[in-house]
């Protein structure tokens, strides 16, 4: 009991004695509590001789005062016990979450309960555009696309016996991918240990890169999709049977490997440590092939030659069922790339990087680079939407799966027609044409004749309009 309640009780005692002076139980009790020093000197018989009536006898008294007193005292006692305890003053050091992170509580903006309230209650009180804009600001994609990701990953996450809800874990990882947070920063926000954040990130990105890859990153094998893609590129470039554009991008690593010999392989020509990403995009800026296999010091041609796509194309494993005849040449669907890639019948590159060709060749180069611009924009969207790829702060062993996971999420957003963020600007292209390998000579000569036929046909068609 605090001092104010004792004072109130003392006043009530005086009131009771004035109403019923024949009973002095409470007054004697109070006086005995305030005169401990005096009563301790009294003889033991004095306390027994001044014994007070029991509460039962007081309640059976003919006077109404005791009953009134006990009623009021009971109410006051209940109020005193139910009063919230005054909060102790918080030390200044505890206000710093970095020094002493507070445990997760229901009032935290990033707790499970806060997320559940947002996703099941608050979210439905908002109009769809406002709801989705809020969700994108938090997790990089709209609420419907988010639920699609969760629904597809939930059965796999359930097998991991994760103690956190599946949607909460996915949201946590998406916030890291979209904002580029480090595990330490996210740990302070969610009141979890950094190693647990890394573990959850690795689990979710691995599932995205493996379980969802085949569903959302597909080579245009069906005739319907192939015709749609080639017609769209034809409208853009006036070049027939183009089905994609290939390009590479250096994904900057937050830190170099500790081994000096290994570190030299990861330092790219732009001066920072990186791993190589190679993608092929269609006219909608959707990736239909992704490869992450080489450290930053590897050039694009070597990375391409080591990819599964190259092996499938050169071995004849992938043959598109759409062939056109251009000036006596059978032209199958092909992708276009810059001069850093080898010239092949299925990968056409510019004649000259500096416009030193014939008028027909220069016109072809201009249209080819116009078609190639879709993959440049696609990579810019990828890094603009998933900012962790601007400075990859995950372990080197988990870098490839994190990059591929972001590519899967990019395709999801493009398919759902999510708003496109500001493009990330890539460094200016550098490097020369790769040498022709002995195993590629027949491919090279075939590609050279196809390229010239397409250039002459394009020049003739556009000059007669």
């Amino acid at each position: 009991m605090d001092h104010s309640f004792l004072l109130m009780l003392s006043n009530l005692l005086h009131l009771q004695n004035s109403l019923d002076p024949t009973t002095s139980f409470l007054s004697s009790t109070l006086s005995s509590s305030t005169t401990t020093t005096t009563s301790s000197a009294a003889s033991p018989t004095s306390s027994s001789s001044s014994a007070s009536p029991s509460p039962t006898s007081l309640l059976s008294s003919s006077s109404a005062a005791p009953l009134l007193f006990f009623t009021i005292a009971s109410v006051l006692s209940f109020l005193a016990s139910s009063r919230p305890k005054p909060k102790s003053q918080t030390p200044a050091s505890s206000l710093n979450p970095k020094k002493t992170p507070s445990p997760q509580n229901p009032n935290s903006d990033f707790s499970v309960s806060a997320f559940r309230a947002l996703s099941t209650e608050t979210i439905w009180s908002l109009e769809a555009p406002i709801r989705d804009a809020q969700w994108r600001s938090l997790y990089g994609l709209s609420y419907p696309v988010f639920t699609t990701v969760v629904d597809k990953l939930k059965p796999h996450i359930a097998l991991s016996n994760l103690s956190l809800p599946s949607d909460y874990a996915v949201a946590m990882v998406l916030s890291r991918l979209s904002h580029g947070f480090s595990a330490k920063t996210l740990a302070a926000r969610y009141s979890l240990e950094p190693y647990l954040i890394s573990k959850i990130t690795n689990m979710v990105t691995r599932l995205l890169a493996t379980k969802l890859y085949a569903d959302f990153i597909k080579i245009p094998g069906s005739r319907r999709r192939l015709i749609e893609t080639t017609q769209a590129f034809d409208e853009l470039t006036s070049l027939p049977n183009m089905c994609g554009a290939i390009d590479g991008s250096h994904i900057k690593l937050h830190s170099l490997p500790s081994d000096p010999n290994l570190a030299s392989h990861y330092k790219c020509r732009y001066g920072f440590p990186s791993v190589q990403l190679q993608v092929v995009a269609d006219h909608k800026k959707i990736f239909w092939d992704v490869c992450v296999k080489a450290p930053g010091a590897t050039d694009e041609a070597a990375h391409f030659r080591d990819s599964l796509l190259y092996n499938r194309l050169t071995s004849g494993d992938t043959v598109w069922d759409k062939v056109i005849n251009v000036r006596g040449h059978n032209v199958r669907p092909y992708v276009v790339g810059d001069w850093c890639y080898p010239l092949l019948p299925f990968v056409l590159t510019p004649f000259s990087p500096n416009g030193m060709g014939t008028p027909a060749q220069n016109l072809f180069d201009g249209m080819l680079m116009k078609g190639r611009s879709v993959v440049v924009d696609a990579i810019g969207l990828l890094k603009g939407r998933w900012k962790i790829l601007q400075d990859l702060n995950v372990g080197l062993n988990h870098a490839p799966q994190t990059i591929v996971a972001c590519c899967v999420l990019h395709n999801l957003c493009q398919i759902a027609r999510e708003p496109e963020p500001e493009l990330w600007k890539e460094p200016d292209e550098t490097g020369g044409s790769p040498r022709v390998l002995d195993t590629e000579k027949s491919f090279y000569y075939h590609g050279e004749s196809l390229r010239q036929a397409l250039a002459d046909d394009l020049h003739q068609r556009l000059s007669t309009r």
Side-chain angles (χ1 to χ4, degrees):
M1 295 184 196
D2 57 13
H3 179 72
S4 59
F5 177 74
L6 290 175
L7 181 61
M8 187 183 302
L9 185 59
S10 175
N11 293 335
L12 185 58
L13 292 175
H14 289 295
L15 175 62
Q16 191 273 335
N17 287 333
S18 64
L19 291 176
D20 190 8
T22 60
T23 55
S24 58
F25 169 70
L26 292 169
S27 59
S28 62
T29 303
L30 183 64
S31 61
S32 64
S33 66
T34 55
T35 57
T36 309
T37 307
T38 336
S39 61
S40 61
S43 62
T45 56
S46 62
S47 60
S48 59
S49 61
S50 59
S52 305
S54 67
T56 305
S57 62
L58 286 173
L59 291 174
S60 60
S61 171
S62 58
S63 172
L67 183 60
L68 176 62
F69 169 78
F70 275 104
T71 302
I72 298 175
S74 298
V75 173
L76 291 175
S77 178
F78 171 78
L79 293 175
S81 63
S82 62
R83 286 180 62 185
K85 295 182 179 180
K87 295 181 180 179
S88 58
Q89 190 172 2
T90 306
S93 60
S94 67
L95 297 177
N96 188 346
K98 293 184 179 179
K99 294 182 179 179
T100 55
S102 59
Q104 197 174 101
N105 59 79
N107 296 324
S108 171
D109 290 339
F110 301 100
S111 66
V112 174
S113 58
F115 175 79
R116 187 65 59 238
L118 174 65
S119 60
T120 61
E121 299 173 10
T122 308
I123 201 73
W124 299 112
S125 65
L126 302 173
E127 295 183 2
I130 300 175
R131 173 199 69 193
D132 292 339
Q134 179 180 355
W135 213 261
R136 284 188 203 100
S137 69
L138 293 171
Y139 309 117
L141 34 73
S142 65
Y143 185 72
V145 180
F146 170 80
T147 57
T148 299
V149 175
V150 172
D151 290 343
K152 289 185 174 294
L153 294 184
K154 195 171 184 178
H156 306 291
I157 295 177
L159 298 176
S160 67
N161 297 321
L162 184 67
S163 58
L164 296 173
S166 299
D167 55 349
Y168 184 70
V170 172
M172 185 188 305
V173 174
L174 290 178
S175 69
R176 182 178 183 187
L177 299 180
S178 62
H179 295 283
F181 295 134
S182 65
K184 187 176 181 181
T185 299
L186 214 59
R189 173 171 291 192
Y190 285 89
S191 298
L192 297 172
E193 292 296 328
Y195 85 90
L196 185 57
I197 295 292
S198 296
K199 182 178 179 181
I200 295 172
T201 301
N202 296 337
M203 177 189 66
V204 173
T205 54
R206 175 177 53 81
L207 292 175
L208 285 168
T210 56
K211 303 301 182 182
L212 269 63
Y213 184 97
D215 292 335
F216 295 100
I217 300 180
K218 297 180 180 179
I219 192 169
S222 69
R223 185 170 180 83
R224 179 179 177 181
R225 184 182 170 201
L226 187 60
I227 291 175
E228 177 192 352
T229 304
T230 55
Q231 286 180 348
F233 275 114
D234 196 341
E235 293 174 3
L236 177 65
T237 66
S238 298
L239 291 174
N241 244 14
M242 185 189 301
C243 68
I246 187 171
D247 200 14
S249 176
H250 290 273
I251 306 299
K252 182 181 179 182
L253 298 174
H254 188 68
S255 58
L256 275 169
S258 55
D259 185 351
N261 296 325
L262 190 62
S264 62
H265 295 291
Y266 283 89
K267 194 168 184 179
C268 71
R269 61 178 179 266
Y270 301 110
F272 55 80
S274 70
V275 292
Q276 279 268 28
L277 165 66
Q278 173 191 287
V279 291
V280 182
D282 66 11
H283 61 290
K284 295 180 180 178
K285 302 170 217 173
I286 295 174
F287 302 131
W288 57 255
D289 186 78
V290 175
C291 179
V292 186
K293 294 186 68 174
T298 308
D299 60 64
E300 282 88 343
H303 190 201
F304 172 58
R305 286 166 174 150
D306 193 35
S307 68
L308 178 61
L309 177 64
Y310 177 85
N311 293 328
R312 293 180 66 179
L313 292 174
T314 55
S315 65
D317 181 52
T318 299
V319 179
W320 287 291
D321 184 22
K322 186 175 183 290
V323 183
I324 62 172
N325 187 280
V326 178
R327 294 182 174 245
H329 295 79
N330 289 330
V331 180
R332 293 186 179 275
Y334 56 89
V335 299
V336 296
D338 62 18
W339 46 87
C340 295
Y341 289 89
L343 174 63
L344 306 167
F346 35 80
V347 181
L348 297 185
T349 60
F351 285 93
S352 172
N354 52 17
M356 297 298 291
T358 66
Q361 292 174 347
N362 291 339
L363 176 62
F364 175 87
D365 287 354
M367 291 302 185
L368 182 146
M369 296 303 284
K370 191 174 182 180
R372 177 185 169 273
S373 66
V374 298
V375 72
V376 176
D377 289 348
I379 293 173
L381 287 176
L382 172 72
K383 291 188 175 182
R385 186 174 275 136
W386 308 108
K387 294 181 177 58
I388 195 171
L389 299 184
Q390 298 174 14
D391 189 11
L392 192 58
N393 50 31
V394 301
L396 186 59
N397 292 336
H398 298 107
Q401 71 181 39
T402 305
I403 297 168
V404 175
C406 290
C407 291
V408 171
L409 293 170
H410 165 85
N411 277 9
L412 265 166
C413 292
Q414 290 301 109
I415 293 169
R417 298 183 179 180
E418 289 280 274
E420 295 183 349
E422 184 179 354
L423 298 180
W424 169 260
K425 182 69 171 67
E426 289 281 276
D428 293 334
E429 293 286 342
T430 59
S433 301
R435 67 182 182 89
V436 181
L437 302 181
D438 291 339
T439 56
E440 292 176 345
K441 284 185 177 180
S442 61
F443 288 122
Y444 174 79
Y445 294 133
H446 188 194
E448 199 173 37
S449 62
L450 287 180
R451 183 175 64 176
Q452 188 63 57
L454 287 169
D456 293 339
D457 179 72
L458 176 68
H459 186 261
Q460 181 181 10
R461 284 188 288 113
L462 295 187
S463 61
T464 58
R465 286 183 182 177

